[in-house]
């Protein structure tokens, strides 16, 4: 079970606040931490802690944050031979409210320097993988190249379309699984997503562009798995959220692990829901990601 993750690596600057600031509002933080993050790195660590053999292709800076990120990935048993160093490490400024909601501002840093040439230098990682997992915090031309190359190699391609941006049908036709949240689904489809029926209709519109399945994460409402054969609602596990950072990343990674293990897609989605439920009860991105033993032992 080998998973290749191609994506972003960030140092998260996390401020805990009583409420998220409104436009023009200045508020004080009651806690501040530097925490390893980035959607790509989060997904790599999540998959590795769930027992997968994970290799990552990405970029960090030649700074202290870059060293810390490489150490964090290595400690999680993520193989980092595909990670190059240049410039400054990407950062994410994250506000987390007392009720667990967040907002995020990204500073791409080295992530923006990801190139097709860097992928070509690490093609062996894609060749040796079973599943290739991507997000959208690196340049879109790199994502497009990897999706097409991995699909051509016969790999299962899973794309987490976050942060949301326009994706061409030419790209989507090479994607096996798309994992947007409600906001990203609305952006990609141009359709409302307020109800489950609207979510299903919007997901079916995306299916027409080529993905084999669309799994929409719905927060406390669970997830909706949509395929050409129909839709399956996956209920959320009931928990008291503390911090929703990395919930979507953990869901996508866990689904990838489940599929790589041979689980039926509905079972893999239910497994992913359990993992994400644990994540939202803990603070921080990578520190919140559970091991497989923790997931198996957790009673909901």
């Amino acid at each position: 079970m080998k998973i290749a993750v191609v994506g972003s690596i960030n140092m998260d600057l996390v401020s805990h606040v009583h409420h998220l600031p409104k436009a023009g509002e200045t508020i004080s933080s009651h806690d501040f931490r530097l925490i390893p993050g980035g959607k790509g790195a989060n997904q790599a660590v999540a998959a590795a802690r769930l027992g997968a053999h994970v290799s990552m292709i990405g970029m960090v800076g030649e700074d202290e944050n870059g060293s810390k990120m490489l150490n964090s990935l290595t400690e999680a048993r993520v193989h980092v031979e595909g990670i190059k160093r240049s410039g400054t490490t990407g950062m994410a400024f994250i506000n987390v409210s007392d009720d667990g909601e967040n907002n995020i501002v990204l500073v791409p840093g080295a992530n923006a320097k990801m190139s097709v040439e860097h992928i070509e230098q690490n093609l062996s990682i894609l060749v040796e993988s079973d599943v290739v997992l991507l997000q959208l915090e690196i340049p879109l031309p790199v994502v497009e190249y990897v999706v097409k190359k991995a699909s051509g190699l016969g790999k299962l391609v899973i794309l987490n379309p976050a942060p949301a941006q326009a994706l061409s049908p030419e790209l989507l036709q090479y994607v096996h699984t798309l994992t947007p949240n409600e906001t990203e689904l609305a952006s990609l489809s141009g359709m409302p997503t307020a109800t489950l029926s609207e979510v299903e209709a919007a997901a079916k519109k995306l299916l027409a562009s080529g993905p084999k399945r669309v799994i929409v994460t719905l927060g406390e409402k669970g997830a909706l798995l949509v395929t050409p054969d129909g839709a399956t609602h996956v209920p959320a596990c009931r928990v008291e959220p503390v911090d929703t950072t990395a919930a979507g990343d953990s869901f996508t990674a866990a689904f990838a692990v489940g599929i790589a293990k041979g689980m039926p897609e509905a079972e893999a989605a239910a497994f992913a829901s359990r993992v994400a439920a644990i994540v939202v009860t803990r603070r921080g991105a990578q520190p919140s990601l559970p091991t497989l033993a923790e997931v198996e032992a957790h009673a909901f």
Side-chain angles (χ1 to χ4, degrees):
M1 178 179 53
K2 292 186 176 181
I3 296 177
V5 178
V6 183
S8 58
I9 305 170
N10 293 325
M11 180 61 77
D12 290 348
L13 289 75
V14 183
S15 294
H16 289 275
V17 295
H18 294 303
H19 66 271
L20 297 181
K22 303 178 179 65
E25 182 183 15
T26 299
I27 62 176
S28 295
S29 166
H30 55 77
D31 185 55
F32 175 79
R33 300 182 187 184
L34 292 175
I35 301 176
K39 298 191 73 63
N42 292 345
Q43 292 175 11
V45 170
R49 288 187 181 162
L50 294 172
H53 178 287
V54 181
S55 296
M56 185 167 185
I57 302 176
M59 292 191 68
V60 295
E62 300 171 292
D63 50 14
E64 183 179 359
N65 283 340
S67 298
K68 289 180 178 179
M69 293 306 305
L70 288 174
N71 288 338
S72 177
L73 289 165
T74 301
E75 288 173 3
R77 298 186 178 180
V78 175
H79 296 263
V80 297
E81 292 82 2
I83 297 176
K84 182 179 178 181
R85 304 189 71 165
S86 178
T88 58
T89 301
M91 293 184 292
F93 294 87
I94 304 175
N95 293 316
V96 181
S97 67
D98 287 346
D99 61 3
E101 293 302 312
N102 65 44
N103 58 27
I104 303 172
V105 176
L106 291 174
V107 180
N111 296 307
K113 296 186 177 183
M114 281 279 283
S115 65
V116 169
E117 289 72 25
H118 180 46
I119 303 301
E120 291 176 337
Q121 292 165 5
N122 292 280
L123 275 182
S124 61
I125 293 175
L126 301 185
V127 171
E128 295 169 4
S129 67
D130 302 303
V131 178
V132 177
L133 187 54
L134 304 102
Q135 327 76 37
L136 298 177
E137 288 182 344
I138 58 174
L140 189 56
V142 177
V143 174
E144 292 172 339
Y145 177 81
V146 174
V147 166
K148 292 178 183 178
K149 176 63 74 171
S151 180
L153 291 169
K155 309 304 177 182
L156 181 69
V157 179
I158 299 177
L159 175 62
N160 178 215
Q165 56 183 290
L167 299 176
S168 68
E170 289 75 23
L171 183 154
L172 291 174
Q173 67 179 309
Y174 296 103
V175 174
H176 294 86
T177 303
L178 197 67
T179 62
N181 62 22
E182 290 172 275
T183 302
E184 292 149 3
L185 177 65
S187 176
L188 290 169
S189 66
M191 297 175 63
T193 58
T195 66
L196 281 180
S197 60
E198 289 177 343
V199 169
E200 181 177 351
K204 285 182 176 178
K205 180 178 179 180
L206 293 185
L207 283 179
S209 297
K212 307 299 182 293
R213 63 173 78 93
V214 177
I215 306 176
V216 187
T217 54
L218 304 169
E220 63 183 13
K221 294 180 288 185
L224 193 69
L225 167 64
V226 184
T227 71
D229 296 326
T232 302
H233 180 238
V234 181
C237 301
R238 291 191 176 183
V239 295
E240 192 67 34
V242 172
D243 181 357
T244 58
T245 307
D249 297 333
S250 67
F251 184 98
T252 298
F255 181 81
V257 171
I259 290 295
K261 284 184 173 181
M263 292 181 188
E265 55 190 11
E267 182 182 342
F271 171 68
S273 183
R274 288 171 59 86
V275 171
I278 294 174
V279 168
V280 300
T281 65
R282 302 172 173 180
R283 294 194 183 279
Q286 290 174 29
S288 71
L289 302 171
T291 64
L292 181 59
E294 288 176 319
V295 178
E296 292 175 341
H298 203 286
F300 291 96

